[in-house]
Amino acid sequence: MVGSIEAKSLQSNGSVIHHNGLNLEEKLDEFRRLLGKSDKDPLRIVSVGAGAWGSVFAALLQESYGSFRDKFQIRIWRRAGRAVDRATAEHLFEVINSREDILRRLIRRCAYLKYVEARLGDRTLYADEILKDGFCLNMVDTPLCPLKVVTNLQEAVWDADIVVNGLPSTETREVFEEISKYWKERITVPIIISLSKGIETSLVPVPHIITPTKMIHQATGVPIDNVLYLGGPNIAAEIYNKEYANARICGAEKWRKPLAKFLRQPHFIVWDNSDLVTHEVMGGLKNVYAIGAGMVAALTKESATSKSVYFAHCTSEMIFITHLLAQEPEKLAGPLLADTYVTLLKGRNAWYGQMLAKGEINRDMGDSISGKGMIQGVSAVGAFYQLLSQSSLSILTSEEKKPIAPVESCPILKTLYKILITREQSTQAILQALRDETLNDPRDRIEIAQSHAFYRPSLLGQP
């Protein structure tokens, strides 16, 4: 890639050495030994779900370790039968012909003709079919390396050592409940890395949230120590194009440290962190507030002042909510703050908010948008609002000392709920919420949140 720094070199024997001196094959062997893999038993990884981030994650691993075929195998599962519409097929053809390397690759693989036929309307392409050639339906402008695609879920997961959850949170439970049927006779326990951002809310026996890692644990019975979350300030296409990025893998120490080392690349630095709750909740919250950020950007013609006011209020609400859920949540700073910033700045949820405000899409189109995939912030708005509106979670106001539901201290969340879920307000309401003269200083909300009496362990299903 033009302008990128190639931070690896070849040894005389052809093996790849990265800038930190680690031999990729040695790194792979080290992780295989940790799993107890024999010499003739490859490390098997499957990515479940083929959205932008899941596909890029699989492609990054394929490019790093795919040459060691007797030691490493990766495949990606997606449902069969999703047709590529004519407009996307035409655009895909343009992308292919604008990239000589991609054009040559397809000709070599005898795969080019089908794209010509689809461009002419003489053939229908399918999402699983084009993914094998390296085209993710949600980001056709960024061709990936060819991937091994499996459409049978049992075949994909039954012997996997590592399963990467690239599904939207709204589909995670259902798919992993099905996966659990294929693991009943397993002897070894798989490792699961969830990339999913979002939550479910349950009101029984008490109001609480269920994060994707918890959904997976409940659906499969895999010990929670083997279920981790990976997230960070990442835009999938930019990561694949070797823009420098970082992420955190969060969970139990047993696996997070070796996985961070195994996943780390010169342009994609992975750190490890123990605070699974804060990172996973923030992963869902940032998508909620990114939709509002997109609306503000569109309605104010990208006013830097308006966007900064929005940023101050939405981050204070995020801090407020995480302090309900964790006794000592990690501060919204460093990578967590960067993750929020990039999501509010760019990404499918911010794009969705912008398009709604401009009138280029409407709410009747749902939250699964062609070419973008699932807009996870929409369901998360409903889930967080439902949770925080429960009177049983009442908090005292700072001045009048009156009990109120926590959502009453989150005017942006309330407004997004009325725009996206009940649809009783237009996108203009987001500006009205920001300009409300009765709004308190965001600092007041943070000070309330940082009181230890504010923490509600029951919100995570804890006694």
Side-chain angles (χ1 to χ4, degrees):
M1 177 186 169
V2 177
S4 66
I5 299 173
E6 189 61 61
K8 60 184 180 183
S9 58
L10 286 174
Q11 279 188 313
S12 58
N13 64 3
S15 61
V16 179
I17 296 285
H18 281 294
H19 72 297
N20 57 8
L22 287 178
N23 180 296
L24 278 174
E25 187 170 14
E26 290 174 351
K27 193 159 70 163
L28 175 59
D29 287 341
E30 182 181 357
F31 192 74
R32 281 163 41 81
R33 283 193 297 272
L34 193 62
L35 290 175
K37 305 292 288 183
S38 63
D39 289 343
K40 296 183 179 181
D41 186 14
L43 174 65
R44 295 178 176 88
I45 301 179
V46 60
S47 180
V48 175
W53 188 206
S55 298
V56 164
F57 193 79
L60 290 175
L61 290 173
Q62 171 63 30
E63 290 189 339
S64 288
Y65 299 110
S67 60
F68 309 112
R69 295 182 182 179
D70 57 337
K71 297 182 179 183
F72 178 87
Q73 294 177 4
I74 186 163
R75 51 192 181 266
I76 186 166
W77 173 82
R78 73 156 296 138
R79 294 181 179 91
R82 173 73 182 275
V84 178
D85 62 53
R86 177 77 180 274
T88 303
E90 291 175 353
H91 181 59
L92 182 53
F93 186 73
E94 292 174 2
V95 171
I96 291 168
N97 285 284
S98 69
R99 290 275 302 269
E100 183 178 343
D101 57 332
I102 303 301
L103 181 60
R104 289 183 179 277
R105 186 176 83 192
L106 291 173
I107 292 172
R108 264 196 325 268
R109 293 164 59 92
C110 300
Y112 179 63
L113 183 58
K114 65 188 177 189
Y115 294 98
V116 177
E117 294 172 340
R119 165 67 179 82
L120 296 172
D122 295 335
R123 170 180 178 152
T124 299
L125 295 170
Y126 292 92
D128 57 290
E129 176 185 21
I130 66 172
L131 187 58
K132 294 176 183 177
D133 294 325
F135 300 108
C136 171
L137 188 58
N138 292 348
M139 49 172 222
V140 294
D141 288 314
T142 305
L144 309 175
C145 63
L147 293 167
K148 179 176 175 54
V149 180
V150 180
T151 56
N152 181 294
L153 186 59
Q154 182 175 8
E155 178 187 346
V157 303
W158 74 275
D159 63 346
D161 301 300
I162 299 176
V163 176
V164 179
N165 175 33
L167 297 163
S169 59
T170 49
E171 298 177 22
T172 293
R173 181 182 295 278
E174 178 186 353
V175 173
F176 275 86
E177 283 176 348
E178 185 176 349
I179 288 173
S180 69
K181 299 174 186 175
Y182 311 133
W183 283 351
K184 288 181 178 177
E185 297 181 6
R186 279 193 69 128
I187 298 173
T188 59
V189 179
I191 299 168
I192 301 172
I193 302 171
S194 180
L195 310 179
S196 184
K197 301 170 180 70
I199 68 161
E200 286 181 354
T201 292
S202 176
L203 302 182
V204 291
V206 294
H208 63 282
I209 66 166
I210 308 169
T211 59
T213 57
K214 200 74 172 286
M215 295 177 205
I216 293 167
H217 166 64
Q218 292 175 348
T220 62
V222 171
I224 196 66
D225 283 359
N226 277 49
V227 186
L228 303 99
Y229 166 74
L230 184 137
N234 313 135
I235 301 296
E238 293 181 356
I239 293 175
Y240 189 74
N241 286 331
K242 304 296 188 287
E243 296 291 340
Y244 182 82
N246 55 64
R248 284 176 166 178
I249 188 157
C250 307
E253 184 172 356
K254 176 183 178 182
W255 291 119
R256 72 171 194 264
K257 288 185 177 296
L259 278 169
K261 185 176 180 181
F262 176 70
L263 297 173
R264 189 174 296 132
Q265 299 185 16
H267 67 282
F268 183 58
I269 305 304
V270 180
W271 298 309
D272 71 280
N273 191 280
S274 62
D275 192 350
L276 175 63
V277 171
T278 302
H279 284 79
E280 205 170 9
V281 169
M282 281 292 191
L285 280 173
K286 68 175 187 173
N287 288 335
V288 165
Y289 291 101
I291 296 176
M295 293 176 185
V296 171
L299 294 169
T300 64
K301 295 182 171 56
E302 300 288 344
S303 162
T305 302
S306 295
K307 289 192 288 186
S308 66
V309 170
Y310 179 84
F311 188 76
H313 282 285
C314 81
T315 51
S316 72
E317 289 190 18
M318 293 173 75
I319 292 168
F320 178 87
I321 293 168
T322 54
H323 274 79
L324 273 169
L325 299 165
Q327 190 166 13
E328 294 288 348
E330 184 167 337
K331 291 182 179 179
L332 186 57
L336 270 179
L337 183 60
D339 193 5
T340 301
Y341 170 75
V342 76
T343 306
L344 268 59
L345 187 69
K346 183 177 180 180
R348 76 183 72 174
N349 290 278
W351 172 88
Y352 181 76
Q354 285 184 320
M355 294 300 104
L356 279 179
K358 291 178 179 179
E360 295 185 22
I361 61 174
N362 61 68
R363 286 163 285 186
D364 291 333
M365 295 170 67
D367 52 6
S368 182
I369 306 297
S370 177
K372 289 291 180 180
M374 182 64 69
I375 309 300
Q376 297 193 76
V378 177
S379 64
V381 167
F384 279 112
Y385 182 91
Q386 183 184 29
L387 177 75
L388 299 176
S389 62
Q390 300 304 307
S391 59
S392 60
L393 302 175
S394 291
I395 60 172
L396 294 177
T397 59
S398 57
E399 294 178 359
E400 297 134 350
K401 302 299 180 186
K402 287 194 321 185
I404 58 170
V407 77
E408 297 301 324
S409 290
C410 301
I412 294 176
L413 177 61
K414 279 183 65 179
T415 302
L416 288 171
Y417 182 80
K418 291 176 181 178
I419 295 171
L420 299 170
I421 308 302
T422 63
R423 304 186 184 184
E424 60 191 275
Q425 292 184 340
S426 72
T427 55
Q428 285 283 346
I430 198 73
L431 295 185
Q432 295 166 12
L434 286 183
R435 295 166 181 170
D436 185 349
E437 293 181 9
T438 65
L439 276 184
N440 292 327
D441 187 326
R443 179 183 175 185
D444 296 341
R445 188 179 296 113
I446 294 171
E447 287 180 349
I448 294 171
Q450 289 174 339
S451 162
H452 287 286
F454 193 65
Y455 169 52
R456 302 284 195 279
S458 62
L459 288 177
L460 289 174
Q462 300 172 4

